[in-house]
Amino acid sequence: MEQGVLSRINGPDDLRSLDRSELSELANDIRHLIIDTVSRNGGHLAASLGVVELTIALHRVFHSPDDKIIWDVGHQCYAHKILTGRRDLFPRLRQYGGLSGFPKRAESIHDAFDTGHSSTSISAALGMCIARDMQGKHYKVIAVIGDGSLTGGMAFEAMNHAGDLKKDLLVILNDNKMSISPNVGALSTYLNRIISGQFYNRMKREIEMVLRSIPQIGTHMVKMAGRLDEAIKSLVVPGIMFEELGFKYIGPIPGHNLMTLIDTLEAVKRFQRPVVLHVLTQKGKGYTPAELKPSAYHSASPFIVESGSFKLQKDKGQPSYTQVFSQTLIKIAQQNSKIVGITAAMPEGTGLDRFAQVFPERFFDVGIAEQHAVTLAAGMACQGLRPVVSIYSTFLQRAYDQILHDVCLQNLPVIFAIDRAGLVGEDGPTHQGSFDLSYLRPMPNLILMAPKDENELQHMLYTATLYEGPVAIRYPRGNGLGVSLDETLSLLPIGRGEVVRRGEDLTLIAIGSMVSPAFTAAERLADEGIRAQVINARFVKPLDRELILQAARRTGRLITIEENVLPAGFGSAVLELLEQEGLWSSVRVRRCGIPEQFMAFGPRRALMEELGLSETGIVSVARQMCSLEESAVGCWKEPF
Ligand SMILES: Cc1ncc(C[n+]2csc(CCOP(=O)(O)OP(=O)(O)O)c2C)c(N)n1
């Protein structure tokens, strides 16, 4: 691909040697490379296109890697990667073994901090400022945070602390009015008022009203207000909220004007105190389809550049788990007026956008605030509502204590619909949903289940809405199996699994997404003369003790299969059960799952194959288990 000015940039130093007049050409080249690559590999297009000029300006004015630039969430870091020596690797963005879609310290010295989950940048930046000052060093630290990510509580916790410590810290508020969907909440309204100048006008009106209400002298004072105008202006600076938190507020400035950005950053660089620079950008800037539909191009699948149409039509073929969750919830909510839906800034991703269309008054988007979402649900449940909180597995990690302390401890009927559980693929280790069974399993009172297909998901959701306590249902990213969906929803007995295939030689006990490959594996094993029983466990807690113990006693060999890390996961629960029943030495157990490691990025199918979480992998473990035993080589019992 022809790269023009960009072909001369092998690192940030080269950028500083460019003539100012060449910078907008550079911005064009970067945009082309980003659009071309994401159209083929998929990725976070809209956010990255929105900060091309800001990134150029930052690297022109500051000196990475000495100065530290921390990208909140990190999904907007593509231009940063291109400018910091990774231009030629960029076509392998998000490819197995290629460049990560997020900042990675292990990938480059210019990536100051690993990000992926939102609202962490100011805390990390402040930590670096403290370290810098303690070590007597003099570099600059810059956190770039979006208006969406600023809705996360952690960002405020960090600002509260930073304003107090008065460190030399620059926070760039990249305000494009969007989270993934349009940003929500009072803070977003406040930022909009700053942008439109309404904030100052409203404050001025309110001050005038107060003056007028003062008997006799008030009207006279209002007449003098012209003279007071300047005084009022300085009282109600647009970023008063940031000023009150101890930051100097500068802005808002236009975020696609390179000269303004560079000049402002040069000026701001001289401050040695906490500063918020408010920069206005447009999501998707420079690619019309993304400008028009920023949400659709937030995390884009591959598309055709000329038309903007996506190569994989998301709505074709069998419905996704998310769609089935969404339509089932609407169906249930039509009968049950207590149901409310809660999302933390992911209405489209979780499918709750459709619920919001049908029940706008029963839908709550709380912003990127998973902790608040969960405790909000707890409060609602206390007062008789039946909240369904839908959050991706990886982001629910944020709300651990809220699930434990605010929901489970009080045994409140909150339903957690955990989407993207298991491996998610190209977004990589920050986004893999591989820990939820382990982090939820120890929580008393919680019912934890995973459906074998999209039809069972319907019944699980229905069952959860009738249960008088907390329930979590985890289901994977992507399409269901294409099974038919029962018209009538039925109540599943809590803690009961099912035998989906009979066999005498060994038992495959699978949970959720692993039931289908376990079943196919058993069919293949039958061709080789190995008779495998297959159990769909349905519940991780409570376990179907009776069914599992029966299988253990009858076949003497168990293989547990889960799309979750092995420590503290489903297989561990089965081992604990065997230990409790004194069976651990007489039953041979092999656990299949994700090892205790952060899974790299790559196509989900390839990652699953690599881990042996596929029909072929299961067949080979079963074969080994049987043949090794026959030759008396060893025992497949996993050590505790
Ligand atoms: C804790 C957490 N929850 C949810 C997400 C999913 N997510 C990724 S980007 C994003 C929106 C971020 O909005 P903003 O900070 O304004 O950045 P923009 O994409 O608009 O540039 C969300 C909700 C996340 N990364 N982390």
Side-chain angles (χ1 to χ4, degrees), residues 135-311:
Q135 293 158 355
K137 296 188 175 166
H138 299 287
Y139 51 84
K140 291 279 176 179
V141 183
I142 303 115
V144 184
I145 183 165
D147 55 308
S149 299
L150 198 66
T151 61
M154 233 183 123
F156 285 91
E157 293 169 30
M159 290 191 88
N160 179 44
H161 192 198
D164 187 40
L165 293 187
K166 302 186 176 48
K167 295 286 175 194
D168 177 359
L169 163 68
L170 173 58
V171 173
I172 297 188
L173 170 55
N174 168 32
D175 186 355
N176 53 25
K177 298 190 181 178
M178 296 288 293
S179 192
I180 293 178
S181 314
N183 202 5
V184 294
L187 178 71
S188 163
T189 315
Y190 170 67
L191 293 177
N192 284 341
R193 283 207 309 262
I194 293 180
I195 296 165
S196 62
Q198 282 174 30
F199 183 78
Y200 166 70
N201 292 334
R202 205 196 77 193
M203 290 300 282
K204 193 176 157 211
R205 269 200 312 277
E206 281 174 13
I207 290 172
E208 279 183 11
M209 262 167 58
V210 172
L211 291 179
R212 277 185 204 284
S213 67
I214 304 173
Q216 286 150 10
I217 55 164
T219 319
H220 175 65
M221 284 180 77
V222 172
K223 279 188 194 146
M224 290 171 62
R227 264 176 274 155
L228 280 178
D229 209 37
E230 281 311 304
I232 294 174
K233 223 177 224 164
S234 66
L235 268 180
V236 288
V237 286
I240 190 103
M241 185 190 86
F242 300 106
E243 295 271 340
E244 290 296 322
L245 282 171
F247 280 74
K248 172 150 193 67
Y249 171 89
I250 297 168
I253 63 164
H256 299 296
N257 183 322
L258 272 161
M259 297 315 133
T260 308
L261 283 168
I262 291 171
D263 292 342
T264 312
L265 286 173
E266 289 288 3
V268 163
K269 200 176 166 181
R270 288 195 277 274
F271 289 110
Q272 297 199 333
R273 53 167 295 190
V275 174
V276 168
L277 173 62
H278 189 175
V279 178
L280 305 182
T281 60
Q282 180 181 13
K283 226 168 162 169
K285 178 76 178 173
Y287 182 58
T288 310
E291 286 181 5
L292 295 174
K293 288 188 178 169
S295 301
Y297 289 87
H298 176 86
S299 175
S301 55
F303 59 93
I304 297 158
V305 177
E306 295 72 28
S307 62
S309 50
F310 291 104
K311 291 178 184 163

Side-chain angles (χ1 to χ4, degrees), residues 310-367:
F310 291 104
K311 291 178 184 163
L312 294 171
Q313 285 298 330
K314 285 184 183 163
D315 286 330
K316 294 232 171 97
Q318 60 267 50
S320 66
Y321 280 91
T322 307
Q323 285 167 335
V324 173
F325 158 73
S326 168
Q327 71 206 30
T328 311
L329 186 66
I330 293 171
K331 193 165 160 181
I332 298 171
Q334 268 148 358
Q335 309 299 321
N336 182 346
S337 62
K338 292 180 185 169
I339 301 281
V340 291
I342 301 175
T343 177
M346 314 279 292
E348 282 96 0
T350 57
L352 282 178
D353 54 340
R354 296 192 182 169
F355 180 88
Q357 284 159 10
V358 184
F359 303 107
E361 71 295 346
R362 288 158 68 181
F363 165 75
F364 301 88
D365 180 353
V366 300

